[in-house]
Amino acid sequence: MSPWLYLAIALVAAGIPSRWLWDGRMLFVNGTQLRTRLVMVNPADNRRRRRWWKSRSLWLDPLRGGAAGWCLMTGEWKWLDSLEASTAKIFYYAFLLIPLLMVLWQTFGREKQNECIVPVLFTVGVLAGFYHPVGGGFGWVLGLSALGVGALVLMALQSIQVMLFGMAAVLLVIGYFLLGLSLEWLLMPAICLVPHGRAMIRSEKLVLAFRG
């Protein structure tokens, strides 16, 4: 298949705005608010709160993130193989910026409320897809490790910011053993920290989209 078709699929999958997957029941919560809803503090409200799993974004975000990451990586290598080594090297480093831009695009949608969406599931999908060749095709280990640590940190400390740094830290450790010191290694935590960087620059509040 043509590398351009892979790249087109990657851009389409990553180009779908997060808000297209939201419905009227979506809430935008910080770490404390999310934990409160998940533990169901008010038993009388349990039935309504169980419906978070019906969110389309919960299931589609990691899938389209994975498709975007994998197609980007596959199309990139197919195209670079057809170029001279010096030219391919320049474009290779330029391609490393694209996963960051993919995640950045998904953070938009709540500018009027001065909030920055943290697309955790999409980010996990991008990591799993883009780093699929790492460790013999186990890129999903990176994504699941980041998601697991992030969830534990969020529930324990109720801070989205700390969650992002926790995800970045575990990727730094695992990525070091898989890739060693390299730009690809540094890209892993950078992908996770994109929302934090944007929120810090624009003085926005970090929030998670959650179906109430």
Side-chain angles (χ1 to χ4, degrees), residues 4-207:
W4 298 110
L5 184 55
Y6 282 108
L7 295 174
I9 294 173
L11 294 178
V12 170
I16 299 172
S18 296
R19 61 181 178 274
W20 287 10
L21 303 178
W22 298 341
D23 58 33
R25 297 178 180 269
M26 296 303 290
L27 303 173
F28 302 93
V29 298
N30 58 31
T32 301
Q33 292 168 331
L34 178 65
R35 186 177 185 279
T36 298
R37 297 193 68 84
L38 288 179
V39 299
M40 301 179 185
V41 174
N42 180 7
D45 202 24
N46 285 353
R47 183 177 179 184
R48 178 170 61 85
R49 293 185 181 186
R50 289 194 191 105
R51 294 176 182 171
W52 58 269
W53 51 267
K54 292 185 178 181
S55 172
R56 288 175 295 177
S57 62
L58 178 69
W59 307 104
L60 294 180
D61 270 350
L63 292 177
R64 68 190 184 91
W70 186 84
C71 287
L72 174 64
M73 175 272 301
T74 304
E76 169 190 345
W77 283 108
K78 284 180 174 291
W79 182 58
L80 293 180
D81 282 344
S82 66
L83 302 177
E84 295 182 358
S86 58
T87 304
K89 187 175 182 180
I90 296 174
F91 281 105
Y92 171 73
Y93 290 121
F95 266 102
L96 294 180
L97 296 174
I98 298 180
L100 300 175
L101 297 176
M102 286 179 171
V103 174
L104 178 62
W105 172 246
Q106 298 301 318
T107 64
F108 288 89
R110 297 283 293 176
E111 291 75 35
K112 292 182 179 179
Q113 292 78 16
N114 197 40
E115 294 175 343
C116 173
I117 301 294
V118 180
V120 176
L121 296 178
F122 178 82
T123 301
V124 166
V126 170
L127 285 167
F130 190 74
Y131 286 98
H132 174 70
V134 174
F138 288 96
W140 56 269
V141 173
L142 296 171
L144 290 180
S145 297
L147 180 62
V149 170
L152 290 174
V153 171
L154 182 62
M155 291 298 101
L157 302 179
Q158 302 175 41
S159 170
I160 297 177
Q161 181 181 11
V162 178
M163 175 195 74
L164 293 175
F165 278 96
M167 294 171 67
V170 73
L171 289 174
L172 274 176
V173 174
I174 298 176
Y176 176 77
F177 288 104
L178 294 177
L179 296 173
L181 298 176
S182 63
L183 284 178
E184 295 84 354
W185 170 59
L186 293 176
L187 179 63
M188 291 183 186
I191 289 175
C192 289
L193 294 175
V194 166
H196 170 69
R198 178 197 150 173
M200 184 173 61
I201 292 172
R202 296 170 59 97
S203 298
E204 294 176 329
K205 182 175 72 171
L206 294 170
V207 295

